[in-house]
């Protein structure tokens, strides 16, 4: 057997890679830890908490944008890719952070936001000056059509995706905020600029990039109107540009292939069927993508619709079926764009918050795909009790309020009630470090976004101290996951896809076989394992000691168990 094939047989045919075995922790710098009392998290704050992350046991940190930005969209609007956001600190602070990460044997992945820049970026400042400016072609400009925008494209932050710029009387394209003009990737100079800035950070030693809305970089040919069937979900149309694969392959050749790094595409609008075309390792495009089917199950559009366990299982089963040994997947149920995991997929009531958060951790760390954990999930942080529009910071919410509530399309009450379940700001409230004022996030009088009032009970100090905490269970789960490669590379089988309360599956790698049993309900459930399956030896359980059994299980509400068969 050739060496590579022999090696891969120990990993179920997958080529072993550090990023396939990693567990990634996402830091949203604005809300993580403030070191200077201005109410905004910063890089020094993150560095001061590296021991906390090391102790938890994660091995990769994904840092949401830390670049210079006027913050129309909290850093996802970049003014200077080679400068650190003033509120977050200096380049020296960044270097210190990177050094601290490396010193602890961890890795750092940055956010690459290159579908668009800020309108305050030097390129756009030039571009808008005149039609013959050398930077004009860095962005997408079009004349009016019939006295209005060039086409019917809509922005994800409400309204048209085109804004008329009086200086030249042409429209520029922005799929997000007015202050986030889309770059013109068809211009080779733009692509070279991007490769240059990637190298700038990689040469400092960072370990990869999470790529913001990367499938939008090539715009659909001819910038035609969105066809009617895509009007409700334009993201599935915006991903259909003809040059996406060509540009990603070029990026791979010019940059990615030269470093030991990872690439994770935020693939909003990419279907599961299209996924291999981006992640198949023979294509040299991306290592893995974020597929939104699971995280958006309960709110596929702006409106909360709820979810059922068999639907979630069906998503994972389909992912398992459609992705082969040349593909790789991510596993996540939260990030800075979604509500809190325990409030969405668990039960955040006093009675069940802790067990359900632990159950979700058990699931995320034992399903197939590199797990991505969002800051605060290790503490079981919950959604925020929003009362009115003044409680929000998010531009998406503020624009939608103007477009929906101020125009009388929807009442303020139902708008806010929906946001309590769906808003991105749920995830952006400051980290809850301890029970002191402002949850120990800042020493200043006020955090940039209000701290969740439940911080006195839910905080990291409590988590570290209490042996039964979510934090300590998380850490135990991570250590357990580290004892085997079965959860990274093992095959996956759902033993009871239709069961409405239980999620029961196996992960198998060679002779190692694990059985995971999760009770996603508020009630105790008696359960006979199907097909003569025997539970085996209990490895870990979220409710402490579980009864020893053969094949008839008695699961308590939100109980999670992992057995080795
Ligand atoms: C996806 C990011 O995750 C989100 O926070 C941002 O608003 C948009 N892309 C635009 O960059």
């Amino acid at each position: 057997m050739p060496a590579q094939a022999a090696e891969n047989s120990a990993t179920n045919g997958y080529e072993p890679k550090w990023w396939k075995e990693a567990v990634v922790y996402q830091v949203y710098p604005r809300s993580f830890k403030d070191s200077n009392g201005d109410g905004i998290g910063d890089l020094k704050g993150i560095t001061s908490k590296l021991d906390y992350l090391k102790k938890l046991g994660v091995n990769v940190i994904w840092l949401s944008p830390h670049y210079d930005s006027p913050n129309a969209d909290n850093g996802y609007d970049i003014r200077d890719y080679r400068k650190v956001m003033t509120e977050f600190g200096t380049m020296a602070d960044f270097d210190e952070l990177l050094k601290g990460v490396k010193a602890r044997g961890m890795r750092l992945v940055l956010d690459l936001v290159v579908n668009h820049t800020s309108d305050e970026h030097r390129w756009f400042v030039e571009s808008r000056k005149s039609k013959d400016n050398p930077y004009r072609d860095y962005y997408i400009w079009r004349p009016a059509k019939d006295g209005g925008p060039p086409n019917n494209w809509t922005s994800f932050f409400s309204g048209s995706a085109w804004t008329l710029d009086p200086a030249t009387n042409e429209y520029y394209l922005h799929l997000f905020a007015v202050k986030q003009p889309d770059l013109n990737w068809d211009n080779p100079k733009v692509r070279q600029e991007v490769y240059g800035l990637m190298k700038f950070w990689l040469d400092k030693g960072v370990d990869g990039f999470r790529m913001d809305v990367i499938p939008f970089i090539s715009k659909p040919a001819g910038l035609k109107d969105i066809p009617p069937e895509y009007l409700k979900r334009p993201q599935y149309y915006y991903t259909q540009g003809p040059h996406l694969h060509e540009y990603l392959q070029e990026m791979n050749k010019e940059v990615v292939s030269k470093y030991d790094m990872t690439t994770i595409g935020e693939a909003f609008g990419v279907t599961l069927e299209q996924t291999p075309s981006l992640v198949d390792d023979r294509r040299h495009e991306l290592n893995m993508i974020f597929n939104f089917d699971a995280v958006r199950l309960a709110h596929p559009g702006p409106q909360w619709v709820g979810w059922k366990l068999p639907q979630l299982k069906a998503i994972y089963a389909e992912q398992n079926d459609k992705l082969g040994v040349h593909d790789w997947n991510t596993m996540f149920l939260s990030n800075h764009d979604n509500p809190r995991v325990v409030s969405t997929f668990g039960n955040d009531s006093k009675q069940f918050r802790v067990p359900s958060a632990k159950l979700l951790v058990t699931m995320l760390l034992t399903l197939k795909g590199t797990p991505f954990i969002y800051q605060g999930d290790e503490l079981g942080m919950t959604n925020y009790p929003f009362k009115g529009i003044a409680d929000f910071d998010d531009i998406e919410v503020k624009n939608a309020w103007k477009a929906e509530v101020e125009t009388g399309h929807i009442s303020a009450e139902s708008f806010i009630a929906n946001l309590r379940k769906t808003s991105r700001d749920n995830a952006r409230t400051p980290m809850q470090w301890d029970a002191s004022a402002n949850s120990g996030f800042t020493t200043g009088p006020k955090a940039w976004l209000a701290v969740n009032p439940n911080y006195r009970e839910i905080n990291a100090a409590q988590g570290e101290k209490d042996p039964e905490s979510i934090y300590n269970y998380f850490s135990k789960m991570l250590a357990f996951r580290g004892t085997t490669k079965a959860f990274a590379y093992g095959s996956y089988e759902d033993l009871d896809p239709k069961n409405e309360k239980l999620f029961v599956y196996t992960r198998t790698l060679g002779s190692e076989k694990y059985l995971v049993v999760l009770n996603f309900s508020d009630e105790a459930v008696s359960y006979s394992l199907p097909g003569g399956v025997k539970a085996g030896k209990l490895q870990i359980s979220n409710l402490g000691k579980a009864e020893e059994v053969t094949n008839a299980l008695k699961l308590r509400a939100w109980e999670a168990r992992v057995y080795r068969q």
Side-chain angles (χ1 to χ4, degrees):
M1 214 189 293
Q4 186 65 60
E7 195 183 1
N8 293 356
S9 72
T11 49
N12 241 348
Y14 291 98
E15 189 181 342
K17 292 281 181 193
W18 63 263
W19 42 266
K20 294 182 182 172
E21 297 172 24
V23 175
V24 186
Y25 183 99
Q26 182 188 354
V27 169
Y28 193 67
R30 203 171 187 78
S31 304
F32 194 66
K33 171 72 186 160
D34 176 21
S35 74
N36 63 359
D38 67 356
I40 299 173
D42 48 42
L43 299 185
K44 272 197 158 83
I46 303 170
T47 305
S48 74
K49 294 294 180 186
L50 288 177
D51 285 333
Y52 167 88
L53 297 178
K54 179 71 187 166
K55 205 174 124 208
L56 179 63
V58 294
N59 33 39
V60 178
I61 296 170
W62 151 28
L63 190 63
S64 274
H66 67 288
Y67 315 95
D68 176 46
S69 163
N71 285 302
D73 186 20
N74 285 349
Y76 283 90
D77 48 319
I78 296 171
R79 184 166 45 200
D80 185 341
Y81 289 96
R82 288 177 165 83
K83 196 172 163 229
V84 170
M85 193 191 295
T86 317
E87 297 90 319
F88 291 175
T90 62
M91 193 59 92
D93 295 339
F94 177 85
D95 294 339
E96 196 61 30
L97 168 63
L98 182 59
K99 209 168 109 203
V101 170
K102 300 272 166 183
R104 288 165 182 81
M106 299 192 285
R107 297 182 200 254
L108 187 65
V109 165
L110 299 183
D111 220 307
L112 184 74
V113 188
V114 288
N115 171 69
H116 45 267
T117 67
S118 162
D119 65 342
E120 296 182 28
H121 193 289
R122 187 174 55 86
W123 303 332
F124 191 75
V125 172
E126 286 299 317
S127 185
R128 77 193 319 178
K129 281 186 180 161
S130 67
K131 289 186 189 168
D132 55 9
N133 187 283
Y135 288 90
R136 186 68 170 178
D137 231 15
Y138 270 46
Y139 295 87
I140 301 169
W141 293 96
R142 291 291 181 277
K145 197 175 144 205
D146 308 327
N151 64 27
N152 70 351
W153 291 18
T154 49
S155 148
F156 291 105
F157 295 160
S158 301
S160 171
W162 296 94
T163 289
L164 183 66
D165 200 41
T168 53
N169 206 27
E170 281 195 335
Y171 286 82
Y172 67 88
L173 178 71
H174 54 89
L175 296 183
F176 293 89
V178 175
K179 281 182 72 64
Q180 289 169 300
D182 278 48
L183 281 165
N184 175 18
W185 272 70
D186 294 337
N187 180 349
K189 283 198 203 130
V190 167
R191 305 205 296 275
Q192 287 307 322
E193 298 268 17
V194 171
Y195 306 152
L197 73 91
M198 289 173 77
K199 286 184 195 153
F200 173 82
W201 293 99
L202 289 163
D203 289 339
K204 279 183 173 285
V206 307
D207 300 285
F209 293 106
R210 172 268 187 191
M211 301 185 182
D212 193 69
V213 291
I214 198 73
F216 294 168
I217 56 174
S218 167
K219 308 300 179 215
L223 304 185
K224 301 203 183 77
D225 274 357
I226 304 172
E229 66 271 28
Y230 289 106
L231 278 174
K232 278 212 166 114
R233 305 269 172 81
Q235 63 268 30
Y236 290 99
Y237 180 66
Y238 297 154
T239 48
Q240 291 181 21
H243 303 294
L244 173 62
H245 300 292
E246 179 190 323
Y247 296 159
L248 289 176
Q249 284 171 18
E250 182 184 88
M251 180 196 277
N252 189 285
K253 194 165 135 256
E254 301 231 1
V255 185
V256 178
S257 58
K258 301 190 171 134
Y259 297 84
D260 173 22
M261 62 178 286
T262 189
T263 53
I264 309 120
E266 190 212 16
F268 190 47
V270 168
T271 63
L272 182 57
E273 285 68 24
Q274 293 163 340
T275 301
S277 72
L278 288 165
V279 303
D280 185 317
D281 55 15
R282 294 164 296 192
R283 296 176 57 86
H284 306 290
E285 295 189 22
L286 299 171
N287 290 153
M288 50 189 152
I289 64 167
F290 292 129
N291 170 294
F292 285 78
D293 294 348
V295 74
R296 283 292 166 93
L297 178 57
H299 54 119
Q303 211 55 38
W304 173 267
V305 296
W307 68 285
K308 293 242 174 339
L309 185 59
Q311 296 174 306
L312 185 67
K313 296 194 268 191
I315 291 169
Y316 294 139
E318 224 192 325
Q319 292 182 351
N320 184 55
D321 289 350
K322 299 237 162 77
L323 302 178
V325 286
H326 287 288
D327 310 314
W328 196 252
N329 201 10
T330 57
M331 190 47 60
F332 72 107
L333 285 176
S334 57
N335 60 25
H336 65 293
D337 290 331
N338 286 285
R340 286 284 172 185
V341 64
V342 71
S343 302
T344 309
F345 293 95
N347 178 337
D348 65 7
S349 68
K350 263 209 156 34
Q351 193 181 0
F352 294 123
R353 183 185 66 86
V354 172
S356 69
K358 290 178 180 174
L359 173 141
L360 290 165
V361 169
T362 315
M363 181 179 89
L364 287 165
L365 296 183
T366 56
L367 279 173
K368 207 166 169 180
T370 299
F372 283 72
I373 306 301
Y374 183 66
Q375 69 183 36
D377 287 347
E378 76 279 17
L379 307 175
M381 280 178 61
T382 65
N383 282 352
Y384 184 89
F386 295 106
K387 295 212 169 55
I389 187 67
D391 293 342
F392 294 90
D393 167 83
D394 185 2
I395 183 167
E396 184 178 11
V397 169
K398 289 183 173 161
N399 286 358
W401 173 269
K402 282 190 206 124
E404 306 290 335
V405 182
E406 288 183 0
T407 55
H409 283 111
I410 174 168
S411 74
E413 294 68 39
S414 59
F415 184 81
I416 301 292
N418 183 55
L419 287 177
R420 245 178 253 127
K421 284 170 167 277
T422 59
S423 165
R424 316 197 288 180
D425 278 346
N426 281 304
R428 298 177 179 185
T429 62
M431 266 292 275
Q432 296 167 204
W433 290 108
D434 57 42
S436 69
N438 282 316
S439 70
F441 163 72
T442 177
T443 53
K446 203 167 177 264
W448 73 277
L449 188 65
V451 175
N452 195 311
N454 62 20
Y455 74 90
R456 284 190 193 81
E457 304 94 72
I458 304 174
N459 61 62
Q462 183 280 334
E464 287 185 283
K465 200 173 68 211
D466 175 3
E468 301 304 320
S469 70
I470 300 164
Y471 175 90
N472 278 314
Y473 180 78
F474 207 124
S475 183
K476 211 165 90 186
M477 239 343 268
L478 278 166
F480 168 60
R481 189 180 198 271
T483 61
T484 171
K485 295 208 189 295
F487 297 116
Y489 301 111
S491 60
Y492 167 79
E493 192 185 356
D494 182 345
L495 300 186
D496 197 354
K498 297 222 161 65
N499 195 309
E500 303 243 337
K501 290 184 174 166
L502 302 188
F503 193 4
V504 187
Y505 54 91
T506 55
R507 300 294 312 276
T508 311
L509 184 67
S511 58
E512 264 187 273
K513 184 166 189 163
Y514 292 91
L515 170 74
V516 182
V517 187
L518 310 171
N519 179 5
F520 268 86
S521 83
D522 296 349
E523 290 117 46
V525 177
S526 295
Y527 186 65
S528 295
L529 287 166
V533 174
K534 292 216 170 22
K537 190 161 168 24
L538 187 70
Q539 307 292 303
I540 199 159
S541 150
N542 68 339
L543 296 185
K545 212 170 149 18
E547 39 146 9
E548 289 299 325
V549 283
T550 46
N551 65 344
L553 310 182
K554 283 200 179 64
L555 293 144
R556 290 164 279 180
W558 294 100
E559 184 161 11
R561 299 181 195 168
V562 183
Y563 293 94
R564 175 144 185 201
Q565 295 186 304

